[in-house]
Every structure is written in C-alpha cells, then in structure tokens.
Amino acid sequence: MGKQSGVIQIEGVVGNFSFYKTKDGYRVRTKGGVSAERIATDPKFARTRENLSEFGRAGKGSKLLRSAMATAIVLSKDRKLVTRLTREMMRAVKADPLSPRGMRNIADGDTALLEGFEFNIASPLSTSLFAPYTAVIDRATGNLQVDFAPFVPETAIASPAGATHFELHAVAAELDFVNNLYKSEVAASGDLPINGTATAPLTLAMPLPANSAKPLFLALGISFVQLVNGNRYVMNNGTFNALALVKVSHA
C-alpha cells in the first residue's frame, strides 16, 4: 500500500492500480489478489483460514467489550480504538493453551493481558489523574470497586482550560465470550470542583454476579465539565478525558 503525494489526489481505478481515501489520507494499491473462494478452499491457504478465524473471534470480543463499556467510552476514545483493542484481544486469543491453531478463542485464552489498556491513547489515565487509588475485583461476592483516599483536585488532576469540575467514573463488566453476552454496572462520583480543597474518601462500587466463572473487567475514567450559571457543559476533550482497564480477572 502506497501513499499518494502531490497536489492532485485521485480516487478510483487506473489500470492495475486502485486509488482510495482513508482517514489517514489518500492511498494506492494494486488491483487483483487471491479470490475469496480460493482462500476458503485451497489447502495452500490453510494457515490464512486459521488466522482469519481467530482474528474474527478477536474482533467479536473487542466489540463485546466496547458494547459493555459504551457509556464511558463515548467520552474517552481515539479514532484507532477498534484496531488497537482488537489487536489486544488477538493476544488473548493466542494465549489459549488448549485449542488447536485456528480454533483458539478468548474464553480459553487470557484476557488478563488487557489490563492497563487505554481507550484514549492520546490521554493515558496516568497523565490526567495523579491521585492514588486501589482497584479490587472480588469474585466471591461479585463486587468490583475503586477506592480513593482524600486528594486535592488542584494538584491531583490535569484539567483542560475552562473546566470547573471533573467526574470520576468506573465500569464493571462480566463478559460471556462464548454466547456473546455481557452484564455491566457503572458508578460515578458526580461533579467535583477543581480547587484546593481535599475531597472526601471516595468509593466507586459496582455489583456483578457472585462466584462468576467468566472474565471480569474493571475500567476507571475521568472526564471534565464546565458549570456556568447552573448549566452543565460536558467537555469532550480528547487530550484530557481518559479511560483505562485498571483491573482484569480472566477466571
């Protein structure tokens, strides 16, 4: 795949070349390639079929996680989130020690590899939130929570210009990758002022089914708002809004 340069940008087919536009600019590639039928039946493409099968499971798992955490992701994501998350899900698939190649899957793999994943690569959680916290997944009770000791917002967070308040939010999710189902719960701090006064101790607790045997995910995020004359304006600032998987328990 090549990148088009010059003043005139082309879209369409010219000879054996296809010119097209992407989010990253104009690209060009050669026409042709192997037919889908041949890939599906030719023994020479057995490895390709295996890779495609596992990649499909990674993509499906990525979509399931995004659906479970959609309310938090909407404020804290980058334009390559789908690609990045699918790549991490593929790592979980390849960690399956039981299934043969081509049949490896997320349920038998290791979703704990996703711990630390940032939904907004432009704003890692550690660059917007400096306050220490403890993230806990208790499988026996089904309780997932994040605890904060008192902290001073003025020095413990990095906020965009114009922001008067911030909100901490967490999402807990149980994912059934076999049946493509999920259960999720959310918790939020409410609007907290950005000032020099220490907050009260804060706990974001979310109940999920006790004794679950499915992968559990706990995400923590921060977003910013501006309060003006009693009106609340959400600041969709991709440089500061953050969301990360702070704890993952595979089973």
Side-chain angles (χ1 to χ4, degrees), residues 18 25 43 55 61 71 85 89 139-140 143 174 193-194 221 224 247-248:
S18 295
F55 184 78
T71 55
L85 184 54
M89 280 291 182
R139 282 189 168 274
N143 189 58
E174 176 196 66
I194 302 172
F224 298 89
K247 199 78 173 178
V248 179

Side-chain angles (χ1 to χ4, degrees), residues 118 120-128 222 237-243:
E118 300 282 352
N120 182 7
I121 199 66
S123 178
L125 184 62
S126 61
T127 64
S128 290
I222 184 171
N237 192 306
T239 308
F240 292 88
N241 289 350
L243 180 70

Side-chain angles (χ1 to χ4, degrees), residues 142-229:
N143 189 58
L144 285 73
Q145 69 183 56
V146 182
D147 295 300
F148 289 86
F151 64 89
V152 178
E154 212 167 57
T155 57
I157 63 171
S159 59
T164 60
H165 292 69
F166 69 99
E167 181 180 76
L168 295 170
H169 45 265
V171 186
E174 176 196 66
L175 270 59
D176 181 347
F177 291 105
V178 175
N179 298 301
N180 200 39
L181 299 171
Y182 70 83
K183 296 176 182 177
S184 62
E185 295 288 342
V186 299
S189 65
D191 295 336
L192 300 173
I194 302 172
N195 57 24
T197 302
T199 67
L202 176 65
T203 295
L204 302 175
M206 295 140 290
L208 287 177
N211 298 310
S212 172
K214 300 178 178 65
L216 302 178
F217 296 79
L218 177 56
L220 173 65
I222 184 171
S223 58
F224 298 89
V225 299
Q226 185 181 75
L227 295 184
V228 180
N229 297 327

